[in-house]
Amino acid sequence: MIMPNQYKNNYILLFLFLIVSSGCERNVGDNTRAQSEALAKLRCGSCHMFPNPALLDKKTWREGILPAMAEHFGIEVLQGNVYLPHKNSTLSIREWQSIIRYYETLAPDSLKSVESFEKITDWATFRLKTPDPDLSQVSATIMTGINPENKKIFTSSLNHSALYEWNSKLKPSLVTELSTAAVDITFPKQGSFESIITCMGGMRALDNTKGDVIGISKNGSGSKGKINIAENLIRPIQTRPLDFNKDGLTDYLVCSFGHNFGGLYLLQQRADKSFKKVSVREVPGATQSVIVDFNNDGWPDIMTLFAHANEGIWLFINDKKGGFVERNILRFPPVFGSSSFQLIDINKDGRLDIIYTAGDNSDYSRILKPYHGLYIFLNKSDGNNGSFHFEKSYFFPLNGATKAMAADFDNDGDIDIATIAFFANFKSKPYDTFTYFENETKTGLKFKAHNIPIYEKGRWICMDVNDYDGDGDMDIVLGNYSKGFMNQENFKPDWDVHLPFVVLENLIIVKD
């Protein structure tokens, strides 16, 4: 009898599965749990922090993470859970099956939810201001920024590859067309540019996604004021100016977040105003950088969050010779979902602390995670011996936490924090999409968490903090992205999908 091709293919797959599975059962049976654990730690902890089985449930390991891991070892994955080795595989099928059984045995059936922390619902020191909704399209804002000099709000959206500025009445005007939508903007205090724009090329973290870095001149408007600093970079998502070699020329630090490629790069300016691309750390996942002189030697150093696979925060100390000395400060498991960090002296001891969020949930494990949220790592470094040590001192669970920004919002002398959560638990805790943490102590970490009731106004993917209205206090602008990226099944957006952004105007200081 001649089989139709579809049945023949299924038969072949079944035959291969039986051969591979039966062979593995014969060989793996004598593996102890300790041996499997040692193998998993050796193989799964060589490129990133070892992921404990307890971090995810059995189904997510089986259907999401393990198939993705197999491909990194050169093992072919058929129909989701049939594994076939190749001659170039770096693991034998016996070893791989041992790792699978280790995770499936020790992983929980489901993750335990964290006990809810107390939150109050009010407006705290804020009031809501909104522009007119655009009923012709679903909002896809991916960048918001407040210029501290002219107090204007700047935005960019996937709906239109352009940069817009908004006046005090929240009316827009076009600044310039862009190659792709901008994801980051910074306003240099010195130099010829009013702003530096990073256009990442696309939302997906792909290696063929190419973006640009653009400078907008202070005296220009429209395309005449636009200068391309760099083109065809692998998905750049942040750019910051610096003079890393102290030659008097402005260089640019770029975070590039592809899938298998990308990294942290310097665009070193030459005398003829062209740029040379220099690698600082060529590892995909560079997300956000802060430039500070950490060792007080007068030279700019860099701290960067890497948020793909080998997640963590790295410090790059300027060696004054055109390079950097690399030090790892914090490491996180590869399923943690690192999303942002900020340096600020939150306990007023004269040392910069780390405020960090974990909550990116768009990869292979799209489930609610109890370790997502807001973290504070206090600086315990000994300045005398040049060591750098940060200690976890605070955690507040927030599903899908995306960004935290700290400032003295209530003008009482301590540091408060605003957070957004793009991958919040929309079914049960939609108010977690924005939380204001009011610090109740001058030097401690005692916060009152406020649910500011704006979750019906949008889904917040970006945030900026500055004095928008010029009254001396810090205001907040939140960008609404309502196109896709929904992880929870059978849920449709119940918020306003047409508002491009909202402003939380701070009323702690009332302008005369």
Side-chain angles (χ1 to χ4, degrees):
M1 182 178 69
I2 299 176
M3 291 185 182
N5 285 335
Q6 66 183 72
Y7 296 113
K8 186 183 295 183
N9 291 338
N10 289 339
Y11 177 79
I12 292 172
L13 285 173
L14 177 61
F15 179 71
L16 289 172
F17 174 74
L18 291 174
I19 291 176
V20 172
S21 298
S22 61
C24 294
E25 289 299 323
R26 288 195 303 269
N27 292 319
V28 177
D30 58 354
N31 268 356
T32 66
R33 181 175 296 180
Q35 290 172 325
S36 295
E37 181 177 359
L39 179 62
K41 287 183 175 180
L42 175 66
R43 293 296 194 169
C44 304
S46 59
C47 299
H48 49 65
M49 187 175 180
F50 170 70
N52 191 295
L55 289 170
L56 300 170
D57 62 86
K58 294 182 190 296
K59 180 181 178 182
T60 303
W61 281 115
R62 184 186 308 114
E63 298 179 4
I65 300 297
L66 290 172
M69 288 170 58
E71 294 179 356
H72 285 284
F73 293 121
I75 297 173
E76 186 176 358
V77 183
L78 301 177
Q79 295 192 349
N81 60 359
V82 178
Y83 298 101
L84 296 177
H86 285 270
K87 62 179 181 180
N88 295 325
S89 299
T90 57
L91 273 180
S92 70
I93 200 66
R94 175 183 176 181
E95 290 175 317
W96 178 240
Q97 289 291 343
S98 178
I99 290 174
I100 290 175
R101 294 176 65 176
Y102 169 72
Y103 278 99
E104 289 188 342
T105 299
L106 296 184
D109 293 327
S110 61
L111 298 185
K112 294 182 179 179
S113 59
V114 177
E115 181 180 352
S116 297
F117 286 40
E118 182 180 357
K119 297 177 75 174
I120 61 174
T121 300
D122 62 12
W123 287 95
T125 67
F126 302 99
R127 72 177 174 189
L128 180 67
K129 294 186 69 174
T130 66
D132 294 330
D134 185 350
L135 301 180
S136 68
Q137 59 188 357
V138 174
S139 179
T141 303
I142 60 171
M143 187 213 76
T144 57
I146 304 173
N147 188 326
E149 295 298 323
N150 62 23
K151 310 301 180 185
K152 291 182 178 180
I153 292 173
F154 290 80
T155 66
S156 190
S157 167
L158 288 184
N159 291 329
H160 183 193
S161 297
L163 179 68
Y164 283 89
E165 67 176 21
W166 303 72
N167 62 21
S168 59
K169 296 182 179 180
L170 301 186
K171 300 298 181 182
S173 60
L174 176 67
V175 177
T176 184
E177 301 283 347
L178 299 171
S179 56
T180 61
V183 70
D184 178 70
I185 187 169
T186 188
F187 305 97
K189 294 181 179 180
Q190 298 177 339
S192 59
F193 294 125
E194 177 185 88
S195 60
I196 307 296
I197 311 297
T198 307
C199 303
M200 70 175 173
M203 289 291 285
R204 299 288 182 182
L206 303 174
D207 296 326
N208 60 359
T209 301
K210 299 300 175 66
D212 310 317
V213 176
I214 297 168
I216 306 296
S217 60
K218 288 185 176 180
N219 297 321
S221 62
S223 59
K224 293 182 180 180
K226 182 175 65 174
I227 297 176
N228 286 341
I229 297 172
E231 299 177 297
N232 293 318
L233 300 175
I234 297 176
R235 199 169 174 266
I237 60 175
Q238 188 203 49
T239 305
R240 291 293 179 266
L242 78 165
D243 181 5
F244 84 100
N245 54 2
K246 302 186 77 169
D247 63 355
L249 300 175
T250 300
D251 312 302
Y252 296 95
L253 181 71
V254 180
C255 290
S256 175
F257 195 143
H259 184 67
N260 294 312
F261 298 96
L264 182 65
Y265 302 104
L266 278 167
L267 301 177
Q268 180 181 351
Q269 187 171 177
R270 300 185 179 101
D272 63 359
K273 296 187 178 181
S274 64
F275 290 90
K276 173 185 177 183
K277 181 180 173 183
V278 179
S279 174
V280 179
R281 185 171 188 256
E282 198 146 5
V283 175
T287 299
Q288 182 184 355
S289 292
V290 176
I291 300 167
V292 176
D293 181 7
F294 286 93
N295 56 358
N296 299 312
D297 64 354
W299 290 71
D301 308 308
I302 302 166
M303 185 173 280
T304 300
L305 172 66
F306 287 80
H308 179 64
N310 192 12
E311 297 188 27
I313 294 176
W314 272 259
L315 177 62
F316 303 91
I317 297 295
N318 199 318
D319 66 6
K320 309 176 189 177
K321 301 175 183 178
F324 295 87
V325 177
E326 176 183 324
R327 300 186 186 183
N328 176 247
I329 299 300
L330 296 170
R331 285 188 89 192
F332 308 105
V335 298
F336 225 58
S338 299
S339 51
S340 79
F341 86 107
Q342 183 179 353
L343 287 171
I344 196 166
D345 182 9
I346 198 164
N347 60 350
K348 306 291 185 179
D349 67 350
R351 294 178 289 189
L352 292 174
D353 308 301
I354 293 175
I355 296 175
Y356 161 87
T357 56
D360 183 18
N361 220 5
S362 59
D363 219 328
Y364 301 109
S365 56
R366 301 179 183 183
I367 61 172
L368 299 174
K369 302 181 175 82
Y371 41 86
H372 276 179
L374 170 68
Y375 293 78
I376 297 175
F377 296 89
L378 291 181
N379 192 336
K380 302 295 183 179
S381 304
D382 184 352
N384 295 324
N385 61 17
S387 66
F388 297 94
H389 174 66
F390 292 81
E391 184 177 289
K392 178 184 170 183
S393 304
Y394 180 84
F395 171 67
F396 192 101
L398 288 170
N399 287 124
T402 303
K403 190 173 185 178
M405 297 191 74
D408 184 6
F409 289 103
D410 54 7
N411 206 33
D412 64 352
D414 56 34
I415 302 299
D416 314 298
I417 304 172
T419 65
I420 55 173
F422 185 68
F423 291 104
N425 183 349
F426 295 108
K427 290 183 177 180
S428 302
K429 298 180 179 180
Y431 43 78
D432 280 350
T433 54
F434 179 83
T435 307
Y436 166 58
F437 292 86
E438 177 190 356
N439 200 340
E440 297 185 298
T441 63
K442 299 296 182 184
T443 60
L445 301 177
K446 183 181 179 182
F447 295 93
K448 180 189 295 183
H450 298 258
N451 291 324
I452 308 298
I454 57 171
Y455 55 85
E456 294 180 346
K457 298 298 181 181
R459 184 185 183 189
W460 320 121
I461 196 172
C462 52
M463 168 172 59
D464 196 25
V465 169
N466 220 301
D467 184 9
Y468 149 75
D469 52 9
D471 63 357
D473 54 28
M474 293 290 103
D475 308 299
I476 303 171
V477 58
L478 307 174
N480 178 13
Y481 186 93
S482 293
K483 283 190 172 181
F485 293 96
M486 291 300 305
N487 292 340
Q488 292 179 286
E489 296 180 354
N490 303 317
F491 178 82
K492 293 183 178 180
D494 56 0
W495 56 81
D496 191 327
V497 300
H498 300 295
L499 276 175
F501 65 90
V502 300
V503 176
L504 291 176
E505 184 180 17
N506 197 336
L507 302 178
I508 200 69
I509 298 177
V510 179
K511 190 175 181 179
D512 294 334

